[in-house]
Amino acid sequence: MRQRVLQATLITVLLAVVMLGIPLGWSWLQLKRQELLTDANQILDVVRIDTDQRLAQGRTFDAALLQRYVDAQPNLNVTISVTYQGETIQAGDPVDPNPTTYVSTIGSQGQSITVYIPESEVRAHTASAWVLIVVAGLSALSIGASVALWQAQRISMPLARLNRRAEEMGAGRARGRWEPSGISEIDDVAEELTHSGAMLAERLEAESRLASDASHQLRTPLTALSMRVDEILATSSEEWVREEARIALEQIDRLTEVVHDLINAPRSSQRRSPGVVELRSVLTQQSEEWSPAFRKAGRELRIQVPRSAAVWGSVGPFTQVIATLIENSLVHGGGRTLVKVRRNDHSTVVEVSDEGPGIDPELGKRVFERSVSGPRSSGTGVGLALARTLVEDDGGRLELLTEVPASFGMFLISAPGEETGPEETTRAEASDDLSLLPQGSVVRRRHRHGARRRGHGSSALASGVVFTDAEEPTEDDSRRTGARSGS
């Protein structure tokens, strides 16, 4: 700020000196030249009167007489020349071949008188004028610089105080009373900033109270529900009931973690530290959670994941993103929903696609913006925007790969994982332990209750998980993931 004010003032002063100093200097030089000609005319008149009197009395004049007039000028060097009856008498320095400054006249006795001023004398007198002009210009610049420094200091110090006050407000530190700076505009901004800070503090305090209340109101029923499901799991002897209770407990734990993250996210000043996430376990859990909904809708959910697929991230947010994409496909898509994992040593791509009508191209450009949803959607339009934020917080990227059919891609950084080769197992063991399934096997949910089978009907489609060998992402996928991780 100081530098800009100083530069602006100096440029203004310099332009004023140039625009006014040059014409003034030229006028001063012409004035000096005119003064020299006036002095020469005075000498010319004295010489003319003296020679007229001498010639009228019949007396003569010589160079010594003219030299006395030359010597009578202590501050001016001149040359006097008188021509009478073809004879020229001269006193002073030799005359230049092409003199530029001189005056001449004809006396009453016919004599011709000329007074010359040498160019060196003209330059000597005008040089002093130039020195004065330069000194005046430098003085104007120095005065302008002093005024600019004072003005810059007067403006920049309140602005620096205002900047520190804004930083204190952003950091949440205590703020004292604003001391008036003498500049009304800055004082008005400071007052408005103080008022806005007070309103922001009140709003943050209200949100903090709401978060605390929401935490208590949500955690209490979740805890009671978890204890009730634990009791069912401990007391029930039917296998299918125990299986459903286990799945319900996993969903309750995930919901509790989501509530915890949402409440503590505004209070955390640092980003979470990602760890290693095993895609196999997370996607298997999502398959178990969403399979009933897909069967009820008469659709198929199919998940293809390599036996060893680990990425850098956080389990809770990653699970939320996968659940959001699967739910989005269930609500807005059609046909079979496919969750496919492709990976190499550097990057992993999780694609979620379906066979539905896709996304409107106009909506596809803004699908990740908040409050943007389809015309038939009843949601708030926050899901995909929040999902992208969660992925980016772990160094990844969520993109819309194709609009028709709708296909979303989650680009993540691969993490080292343990290779688990296929093992020889029985069908009964494989059906109970997903980690022991041979490559290419399909896991289907078994209906262990007659009422459940009758409710879905014979047309219900199977949903499951397929363990495949790792399929490497394309070069474009790797380059996109690498660019995101580097940023």
Side-chain angles (χ1 to χ4, degrees):
M1 181 67 187
R2 297 180 183 180
Q3 185 177 2
R4 288 195 293 270
V5 173
L6 182 61
Q7 288 178 349
T9 306
L10 289 180
I11 290 174
T12 303
V13 173
L14 183 61
L15 290 176
V17 169
V18 171
M19 296 180 65
L20 298 178
I22 292 178
L24 179 61
W26 177 256
S27 300
W28 199 345
L29 294 177
Q30 295 301 318
L31 179 61
K32 282 293 182 182
R33 199 175 280 272
Q34 188 65 35
E35 290 179 354
L36 293 176
L37 291 176
T38 301
D39 294 340
N41 280 319
Q42 292 177 355
I43 298 173
L44 182 66
D45 290 340
V46 172
V47 173
R48 179 182 59 79
I49 294 173
D50 192 8
T51 54
D52 283 345
Q53 292 177 353
R54 283 181 172 273
L55 292 176
Q57 296 173 2
R59 294 184 298 168
T60 62
F61 57 89
D62 54 10
L65 176 64
L66 300 180
Q67 187 63 39
R68 288 200 301 271
Y69 293 114
V70 172
D71 295 337
Q73 309 299 323
N75 298 323
L76 184 62
N77 186 17
V78 297
T79 300
I80 302 175
S81 174
V82 179
T83 301
Y84 180 69
Q85 294 181 353
E87 181 182 1
T88 300
I89 301 174
Q90 181 175 315
D93 295 335
V95 180
D96 296 333
N98 298 311
T100 57
T101 305
Y102 62 92
V103 291
S104 60
T105 186
I106 302 296
S108 59
Q109 302 300 320
Q111 74 277 19
S112 174
I113 307 170
T114 304
V115 177
Y116 298 93
I117 300 177
E119 287 300 319
S120 58
E121 190 71 15
V122 175
R123 286 193 296 268
H125 282 76
T126 56
S128 61
W130 277 114
V131 170
L132 291 176
I133 293 173
V134 171
V135 170
L138 292 178
S139 301
L141 288 176
S142 62
I143 294 174
S146 301
V147 174
L149 287 174
W150 172 78
Q151 188 70 14
Q153 187 79 4
R154 180 173 177 268
I155 297 176
S156 62
M157 287 187 64
L159 288 177
R161 289 172 50 204
L162 187 63
N163 182 51
R164 290 194 299 269
R165 190 176 186 85
E167 291 178 353
E168 292 176 356
M169 290 182 59
R173 296 194 295 268
R175 299 172 298 277
R177 181 177 177 274
W178 172 263
E179 295 295 335
S181 63
I183 302 177
S184 59
E185 293 81 0
I186 296 180
D187 292 338
D188 292 342
V189 173
E191 292 299 329
E192 289 297 327
L193 190 62
T194 302
H195 179 65
S196 301
M199 294 180 60
L200 182 60
E202 293 178 0
R203 182 172 298 180
L204 290 176
E205 185 178 356
E207 292 181 357
S208 178
R209 289 195 301 267
L210 176 61
S212 299
D213 295 342
S215 174
H216 181 270
Q217 296 296 328
L218 290 174
R219 286 177 178 174
T220 300
L222 286 176
T223 302
L225 181 61
S226 178
M227 294 175 62
R228 179 58 178 162
V229 175
D230 275 333
E231 183 180 355
I232 294 174
L233 182 63
T235 59
S236 178
S237 59
E238 297 189 28
E239 184 61 28
W240 72 271
V241 175
R242 294 171 57 84
E243 177 70 12
E244 294 298 329
R246 182 186 63 82
I247 296 175
L249 276 177
E250 292 179 356
Q251 295 178 354
I252 293 173
D253 291 341
R254 185 165 66 84
L255 180 58
T256 302
E257 184 179 355
V258 170
V259 171
H260 180 271
D261 291 342
L262 290 176
I263 291 174
N264 291 314
R267 304 176 184 177
S268 177
S269 59
Q270 297 179 351
R271 300 176 65 179
R272 59 179 179 269
S273 299
V276 177
V277 179
E278 290 290 344
L279 300 184
R280 181 178 175 182
S281 60
V282 174
L283 295 180
T284 300
Q285 184 267 334
Q286 287 296 302
S287 176
E288 293 176 351
E289 180 177 336
W290 288 99
S291 292
F294 274 83
R295 281 198 299 270
K296 185 177 180 180
R299 294 176 55 188
E300 178 185 2
L301 171 63
R302 188 175 180 84
I303 297 178
Q304 296 180 359
V305 55
R307 286 183 167 276
S308 176
V311 296
W312 290 106
S314 303
V315 177
F318 178 79
T319 305
Q320 290 179 242
V321 174
I322 290 295
T324 299
L325 296 179
I326 294 178
E327 181 186 16
N328 189 70
S329 176
L330 175 63
V331 175
H332 304 288
R336 183 181 69 175
T337 296
L338 176 62
V339 181
K340 185 177 181 180
V341 178
R342 297 183 290 123
R343 74 186 303 271
N344 58 24
D345 294 338
H346 304 288
S347 60
T348 298
V349 183
V350 182
E351 297 181 9
V352 180
S353 59
D354 58 61
E355 300 171 345
I359 301 176
D360 187 353
E362 293 296 329
L363 182 63
K365 300 176 182 178
R366 305 170 53 239
V367 71
F368 290 106
E369 297 180 10
R370 286 184 175 267
S371 303
V372 174
S373 58
R376 295 177 297 176
S377 175
S378 59
T380 60
V382 179
L384 289 177
L386 178 60
R388 169 173 272 190
T389 300
L390 293 175
V391 175
E392 290 177 348
D393 286 344
D394 285 335
R397 186 70 176 175
L398 180 61
E399 297 285 355
L400 176 62
L401 301 181
T402 60
E403 296 171 347
V404 180
S407 177
F408 291 88
M410 186 171 12
F411 301 87
L412 304 169
I413 304 172
S414 296
E418 295 182 358
E419 287 291 342
T420 55
E423 299 179 2
E424 293 294 334
T425 60
T426 63
R427 289 184 177 273
E429 292 172 338
S431 64
D432 294 333
D433 189 355
L434 294 175
S435 65
L436 300 177
L437 285 175
Q439 179 176 344
S441 298
V442 178
V443 178
R444 291 182 175 85
R445 298 291 305 280
R446 297 196 304 271
H447 303 286
R448 297 183 177 88
H449 197 272
R452 291 163 60 89
R453 289 196 300 269
R454 289 191 299 270
H456 295 305
S458 59
S459 62
L461 296 175
S463 300
V465 183
V466 175
F467 299 110
T468 63
D469 290 333
E471 181 180 351
E472 295 189 0
T474 62
E475 181 180 352
D476 181 66
D477 295 338
S478 302
R479 182 167 58 251
R480 188 181 307 184
T481 307
R484 302 305 177 194
S485 62
S487 60

